[in-house]
Amino acid sequence: MAALSNNLSTAERDGERCAAPVLLAGFVIGLGMVDLSVTALGQTSRFSLQLLVLLVIQLIGPVLVSVLAMALLMPRWLERVAREGPSAWRASVPAAALVGLLLMLMFVLSAIVGGILITPRADSLRELSDLLSGIRLRDLLQTLVRSSLFLGSICAWCQWRSLRALRSGRSEALIVSNLLVEGLIVALALKLLWVLAFDGLLRPVASA
């Protein structure tokens, strides 16, 4: 129980640090995506909102949320490794996985709100109702799980690498700089692995 309480407390503190930037990022992407699609490309607001949801859930959401959260949480991860050593992952990794899931849900909702606000006022409620009814629960759950796995895996990698770097005597500024690049590579590699493993192998089995 003590370990669970510690993990939840860590997740709460980390989530508070990331919540505002993630909400703002989702809102801006939703607003900009729908505005560009409607005004520049001449698409209907309904199509633009559907495209936004597809983009956020299927393409960029988990990677963007994971990379943004990594940049915000990296100093805290490094601080825990410096303070607790190899056991730091016991609090950081489960907390990162939980935070990744919650942040992804917040990102999706804020993107939808941003997209809805740019649609004509008379159609906003109807567009929102149609949009929510068109989101498949399975796709949303897969996206939440993906974001959780991504951020948890990135956290585990960064803490392992930071432990080795601290033991070698490198400065914390250099460690953070290197880990930001490595974390981005890990996020993109996880995205590619998910596409190849899930989209390429599991979906044909499910459809059969």
Side-chain angles (χ1 to χ4, degrees):
M1 290 297 294
L4 177 60
S5 177
N6 184 39
N7 290 341
L8 292 176
S9 177
T10 302
E12 181 180 6
R13 291 194 300 270
D14 290 351
E16 289 175 352
R17 181 177 178 84
C18 300
V22 168
L23 284 172
L24 181 60
F27 184 81
V28 170
I29 287 178
L31 194 70
M33 176 67 189
V34 173
D35 182 52
L36 176 65
S37 180
V38 172
T39 59
L41 302 180
Q43 301 295 334
T44 64
S45 58
R46 177 174 299 183
F47 175 83
S48 301
L49 288 169
Q50 292 173 345
L51 182 62
L52 169 66
V53 170
L54 181 64
L55 181 72
V56 168
I57 291 181
Q58 298 291 349
L59 187 59
I60 67 169
V63 171
L64 182 59
V65 168
S66 298
V67 170
L68 181 57
M70 173 194 67
L72 293 167
L73 296 176
M74 184 69 71
R76 291 191 177 184
W77 293 345
L78 182 59
E79 179 186 355
R80 289 174 194 147
V81 171
R83 183 178 65 247
E84 303 174 17
S87 62
W89 68 270
R90 295 177 182 174
S92 293
V93 174
L98 178 59
V99 168
L101 186 150
L102 296 176
L103 290 178
M104 186 64 222
L105 182 60
M106 294 167 60
F107 183 78
V108 172
L109 293 177
S110 62
I112 291 175
V113 170
I116 288 294
L117 288 180
I118 204 65
T119 60
R121 288 291 182 269
D123 297 334
S124 295
L125 293 178
R126 180 169 54 84
E127 296 286 4
L128 178 60
S129 177
D130 293 342
L131 181 65
L132 293 178
S133 64
I135 298 177
R136 295 191 300 179
L137 180 60
R138 185 183 68 178
D139 291 340
L140 179 59
L141 290 177
Q142 287 174 358
T143 300
L144 298 179
V145 170
R146 195 186 325 168
S147 183
S148 176
L149 290 175
F150 282 11
L151 190 56
S153 300
I154 292 171
C155 177
W157 172 268
C158 290
Q159 294 218 303
W160 174 67
R161 290 286 290 163
S162 60
L163 180 62
R164 292 167 59 92
L166 286 172
R167 287 175 175 174
S168 67
R170 298 178 186 175
S171 67
E172 293 190 0
L174 179 60
I175 294 173
V176 170
S177 176
N178 291 338
L179 287 180
L180 288 174
V181 177
E182 293 182 11
L184 176 60
I185 295 174
V186 170
L188 295 176
L190 289 171
K191 171 64 176 178
L192 178 61
L193 182 63
W194 182 278
V195 170
L196 293 177
F198 182 80
D199 294 345
L201 298 178
L202 297 183
R203 282 191 176 179
V205 174
S207 62

